[in-house]
Amino acid sequence: MGVKTMDAKMLQKMFLAGAKSLEAKKEYINELNVFPVPDGDTGTNMTMTIMAAAKDVAGLQNPTLDELGKAISSGSLRGARGNSGVILSQIFRGFVKELKGLQEVDVNVLGNAVQHASETAYKAVMKPKEGTILTVAKAGADKAMDMLVNGDTEDVEEFCDAVAAEMEEALLRTPDLLPVLKQAGVVDSGGEGLMTFVRGAIDALKGKTTDFTLNTGGETGEVISFAGANSDVDIRFGYCTEFIIMLERDEDVVESRLKDYLQNIGDCVVVVADEDIVKVHVHTNDPGLAIQKALTYGSLTSMKIDNMREEHEEKVIRDAEKIARGEKTLPEQKEPEQPHKETGFIAVSAGDGLAGIFKDLGVDYVIEGGQTMNPSTDDVLSAIKQVNADHIFVLPNNGNIILAANQAKDLTEDKEVFVVPSKTIPQGIAAMISYISGRPAEENAETMTEEMQLIKSGQVTYAVRDTNMDGKDIKQGDFMGLTDKSIVSVGENAAEATIELIENLLEEDSELVSLYYGEDATEEEAQKIAEQMEKEYEDIEVEVQYGGQPVYRYFVSVE
């Protein structure tokens, strides 16, 4: 006989199992990045979003549906990172609204919850794009509604299987809706992330998953135990081990063989093969065994081993010391109290040079972040709280941070927040320059938005895999110049790729080029580029400034 209802305890297990599944596959989801640039972070953003909620969910003992829904909605909303994370948080938010005041869940509640989840996610995006996570969510909602109308089943498992199957088909169709996905030969990474969660949740419903302990990975290896009690963590495998194998022989089965071996000596195993390299992550008590096995396939690079038990013990000691001093165990990092003023500014930026530039332009608080490290909604909220002003302008400076900034704006009640939707660092700088003191905040917000859009900007980074995109053959390690996510220059030489990028940005009336060099570039290299450009284009002035940004060798703006 099938299952006709579920209680809060089962939904709690399903959520934690889905989170565990997403965490385990986050690197695979990252690898689905369309462009061959080193900022594929969809899996990381979605995992960090769901883990923010999982901490609260795991601590609930015998929860009601209301308590569970609040933990899921509030945690994911504040922890949301990147566009995929924000959309995922909205999916959860819409879903749990259907649970309010109920004691149990049947297929009717589930169907309405899935429908509400999709609607809420679509409303959160100003210009919804098909072929994304939204398409996958909508396919599930449409199927759920059809099943309810037709009265297909009262069995919860059958209902979930059918809805998930429809979502899987929609995921496979995403390349047909977004040509860029078909060109890259991948499905939508956000849609894959959502399905990874759904698969894990359904496994828990069917009793296939019994371990709901979560490991957040990253630098701390923090463990989240089911039903609270993560103050006394039992870390089964003590060393977080990561490395890259540079394959030295043709071996098609490296990924499966190495994964099977590592699962015998540890957990949290991630093995991702890409052409002639294999990325490896494992938690084990003997990193040497993992390394020795990997060496049989090739040479190793980017090796990193962290003692998670030691780090956990140090954290426990630090927290105990803080408690003894009467502090919170996780105190907010606060800057010195600022004098109250009418208008304040917040900018997101990575690199000490760029942070200094924004500070010089009048920014009160710089949130460290950008590509590969999108700040969460809660990070933006914390910054808003610390800026002592009535009107606050937030500059995300990255298209993947705008939704989180807007979510923080919606959650702020005591201050007026304006999100100036800057998608690049140069746009953010232009917006700050165009601010005029004494004008009404609304007028300044409009002017800043208009002026920043007059700036043409681009960036230079390196390729993480071989591909053919935008009519260009790209090899791993090549330098690429990108404008608005279009690759306009490719070369083995960073300077040549940068010059070609600038030339693509130049127009007949262009006068000034700003070149911000990152942590992997030198001032001498940047000055040579500037001298060559000024020699070839007499009417152009090139300013060189230190940015210090990671990942991107240069940021470029033309005006």
Side-chain angles (χ1 to χ4, degrees):
M1 186 174 179
V3 178
K4 292 189 176 182
T5 62
M6 297 184 297
D7 60 10
K9 197 72 172 179
M10 174 52 74
L11 278 179
Q12 181 185 33
K13 291 179 180 179
M14 292 174 68
F15 182 84
L16 293 175
K20 187 179 182 76
S21 177
L22 187 55
E23 195 280 331
K25 296 290 183 64
K26 66 182 177 184
E27 291 300 335
Y28 168 73
I29 297 167
N30 285 341
E31 292 295 326
L32 294 176
N33 190 26
V34 168
F35 291 90
V37 296
D39 63 357
D41 50 7
T42 298
T44 299
N45 283 337
M46 295 182 79
T47 298
M48 295 183 76
T49 297
I50 202 169
M51 286 299 172
K55 292 178 182 179
D56 294 335
V57 171
L60 294 174
Q61 297 191 24
N62 300 317
T64 64
L65 286 175
D66 282 349
E67 291 169 340
L68 180 63
K70 183 177 180 180
I72 292 173
S73 179
S74 178
S76 61
L77 197 68
R78 290 178 171 271
R81 295 174 186 265
N83 292 342
S84 57
V86 171
I87 293 172
L88 183 64
S89 74
Q90 292 296 324
I91 288 173
F92 291 146
R93 179 169 171 254
F95 185 94
V96 301
K97 278 189 176 181
E98 291 294 325
L99 308 182
K100 287 185 178 180
L102 302 178
Q103 301 301 316
E104 58 184 15
V105 175
D106 59 14
V107 294
N108 287 302
V109 174
L110 271 179
N112 289 323
V114 172
Q115 173 71 16
H116 200 171
S118 174
E119 291 176 351
T120 304
Y122 267 87
K123 289 177 182 177
V125 181
M126 186 173 296
K127 295 180 180 179
K129 183 182 294 186
E130 296 303 330
T132 65
I133 183 176
L134 294 172
T135 303
V136 177
K138 188 175 187 298
D142 291 345
K143 179 64 175 179
M145 288 296 99
D146 286 344
M147 293 183 72
L148 291 187
V149 170
N150 297 327
D152 290 344
T153 182
E154 294 183 356
D155 187 293
V156 170
E157 288 187 14
E158 287 183 9
F159 185 86
C160 289
D161 280 340
V163 170
E166 192 71 20
M167 295 172 72
E168 294 279 13
E169 290 186 15
L171 175 64
L172 294 175
R173 291 195 301 269
T174 55
D176 296 327
L177 298 174
L178 275 181
V180 69
L181 293 175
K182 179 168 285 189
Q183 185 178 13
V186 296
V187 296
D188 177 67
S189 55
E192 177 63 35
L194 176 59
M195 288 314 304
T196 299
F197 169 82
V198 171
R199 295 175 200 131
I202 292 178
D203 279 349
L205 174 63
K206 296 180 177 180
K208 295 180 179 180
T209 299
T210 57
D211 180 10
F212 303 102
T213 300
L214 304 174
N215 192 303
T216 61
E219 297 180 357
T220 62
E222 181 184 358
V223 174
I224 303 174
S225 301
F226 183 43
N230 55 8
S231 60
D232 185 20
V233 176
D234 177 19
I235 299 177
R236 184 182 175 194
F237 297 103
Y239 295 94
C240 177
T241 307
E242 299 176 357
F243 51 80
I244 294 176
I245 307 173
M246 311 297 290
L247 295 178
E248 295 175 352
R249 56 191 175 91
D250 193 12
E251 178 63 85
D252 294 334
V253 293
V254 171
E255 188 172 0
S256 59
R257 286 183 177 176
L258 186 56
K259 185 177 294 184
D260 289 343
Y261 175 80
L262 294 177
Q263 286 173 340
N264 289 326
I265 66 169
D267 64 4
C268 295
V269 175
V270 178
V271 180
V272 179
D274 183 9
E275 298 294 337
D276 56 352
I277 68 170
V278 180
K279 297 180 181 180
V280 178
H281 173 280
V282 60
H283 293 171
T284 178
N285 286 327
D286 194 338
L289 292 177
I291 291 170
Q292 288 174 24
K293 184 66 174 179
L295 284 170
T296 65
Y297 297 110
S299 59
L300 307 186
T301 185
S302 302
M303 299 177 66
K304 182 172 176 283
I305 300 174
D306 293 324
N307 186 330
M308 297 188 295
R309 292 191 182 96
E310 184 178 274
E311 291 173 349
H312 174 68
E313 289 172 0
E314 290 175 354
K315 179 181 183 299
V316 171
I317 292 172
R318 289 196 304 269
D319 288 350
E321 290 174 346
K322 289 169 184 173
I323 291 172
R325 293 195 300 266
E327 299 178 12
K328 296 179 180 178
T329 56
L330 291 173
E332 293 181 357
Q333 295 182 356
K334 293 186 178 181
E335 293 187 344
E337 184 69 23
Q338 301 173 345
H340 179 267
K341 57 181 183 177
E342 184 176 348
T343 305
F345 302 89
I346 296 169
V348 180
S349 175
D352 55 337
L354 294 174
I357 291 172
F358 278 112
K359 288 282 189 179
D360 290 342
L361 290 172
V363 169
D364 301 280
Y365 192 104
V366 176
I367 303 173
E368 186 176 359
Q371 294 301 116
T372 74
M373 47 181 178
N374 300 152
S376 68
T377 297
D378 211 31
D379 291 332
V380 182
L381 281 170
S382 178
I384 292 171
K385 182 178 179 181
Q386 293 186 44
V387 175
N388 192 9
D390 297 325
H391 311 289
I392 297 177
F393 292 86
V394 179
L395 304 168
N397 298 332
N398 186 295
N400 208 32
I401 302 174
I402 294 174
L403 283 181
N406 279 319
Q407 200 153 260
K409 170 188 174 181
D410 294 339
L411 293 172
T412 302
E413 299 178 353
D414 58 337
K415 300 174 182 178
E416 187 175 27
V417 178
F418 297 89
V419 176
V420 180
S422 51
K423 294 182 178 180
T424 65
I425 291 293
Q427 280 191 345
I429 292 173
M432 282 301 302
I433 292 174
S434 64
Y435 174 81
I436 298 177
S437 180
R439 281 187 178 177
E442 294 84 355
E443 186 177 332
N444 260 314
E446 291 178 6
T447 301
M448 293 166 75
T449 301
E450 291 171 359
E451 291 298 320
M452 74 177 189
Q453 292 172 349
L454 300 177
I455 298 293
K456 301 189 69 176
S457 59
Q459 52 236 349
V460 177
T461 188
Y462 58 92
V464 295
R465 66 174 184 269
D466 293 353
T467 189
N468 183 289
M469 183 161 287
D470 295 330
K472 294 177 170 55
D473 286 321
I474 302 168
K475 302 297 183 184
Q476 181 183 338
D478 281 350
F479 289 95
M480 303 176 296
L482 301 94
T483 64
D484 296 324
K485 287 295 184 179
S486 174
I487 302 171
V488 299
S489 65
V490 178
E492 296 180 4
N493 183 285
E496 292 176 359
T498 305
I499 289 171
E500 187 176 349
L501 166 66
I502 295 172
E503 290 176 338
N504 272 275
L505 293 172
L506 290 176
E507 295 181 342
E508 188 174 341
D509 58 349
S510 297
E511 298 177 350
L512 176 65
V513 174
S514 296
L515 189 63
Y516 305 91
Y517 64 95
E519 63 180 10
D520 294 325
T522 65
E523 183 177 8
E524 181 182 9
E525 179 185 75
Q527 289 291 355
K528 286 182 179 179
I529 293 173
E531 291 170 5
Q532 184 171 339
M533 291 301 303
E534 290 180 338
K535 183 178 180 180
E536 294 184 14
Y537 299 89
E538 295 181 357
D539 296 332
I540 297 295
E541 178 185 355
V542 181
E543 288 186 353
V544 173
Q545 299 193 60
Y546 169 64
Q549 69 272 8
V551 180
Y552 287 86
R553 200 175 187 92
Y554 293 105
F555 286 142
V556 177
S557 71
V558 174
E559 52 189 297

